[in-house]
Amino acid sequence: MPPVVYQDKCKGCGKCEEICPGDLMELDENKKAFCRAKRDCWDCMACVKACQFEAIETRIPYQLGYYPARLIPKMKEKEIEWTCIDINGKVDKFLVKTHNK
C-alpha cells in the first residue's frame, strides 16, 4: 500500500522526498508531502522512518515481511545506502543515487 500522508502533521521538511529510493515523494505548492506515483511505491517505508513528525504511515501485508527481516536506509550526501537483511540473516548492501541538489 502506498504511504498515507497526514497533512495536518506534515511540516514540509522534505526528508521523505530526499530518502525515497523511487523518487516518488514530493512536496506540493503548500509544502505538504504526497506520493506522486502510488502504483510505483514498493513499500520500503523509508519515508515513514525519515519523517520525524510521524506524518507518514504505510501498512504492508504480512506476507511481504517476516521478522527478523529488515530494510535499513542510511542517508548519505548524494546516495542512500540500503542494508537488506533477509529472514535467514543474509545481509546485502546496495547504494541508490538520489536526485538531491
Side-chain angles (χ1 to χ4, degrees):
M1 297 186 63
V4 174
V5 179
Y6 297 102
Q7 300 292 302
D8 57 323
K9 292 183 176 180
C10 180
K11 305 298 183 201
C13 69
K15 295 288 186 188
C16 57
E17 187 178 31
E18 292 176 12
I19 201 166
C20 179
D23 198 23
L24 303 175
M25 297 299 290
E26 288 185 26
L27 298 179
D28 66 15
E29 64 276 359
N30 297 316
K31 297 290 184 192
K32 300 292 183 179
F34 71 99
C35 181
R36 66 176 173 78
K38 294 179 178 181
R39 288 178 24 175
D40 294 336
C41 178
W42 47 286
D43 298 316
C44 71
M45 299 199 303
C47 57
V48 175
K49 292 178 180 178
C51 182
Q52 63 182 320
F53 304 105
E54 299 180 354
I56 304 174
E57 179 180 290
T58 187
R59 295 181 184 166
I60 59 174
Y62 70 90
Q63 295 93 343
L64 296 178
Y66 294 95
Y67 182 82
R70 293 186 292 164
L71 182 60
I72 305 164
K74 182 177 181 181
M75 287 290 296
K76 298 190 173 188
E77 187 173 337
K78 293 289 183 184
E79 60 193 11
I80 303 170
E81 177 184 276
W82 289 89
T83 301
C84 304
I85 304 170
D86 73 11
I87 60 173
N88 298 313
K90 180 184 171 205
V91 178
D92 287 317
K93 291 188 176 193
F94 59 95
L95 297 173
V96 176
K97 292 187 182 209
T98 64
H99 302 282
N100 298 339
K101 297 175 183 160

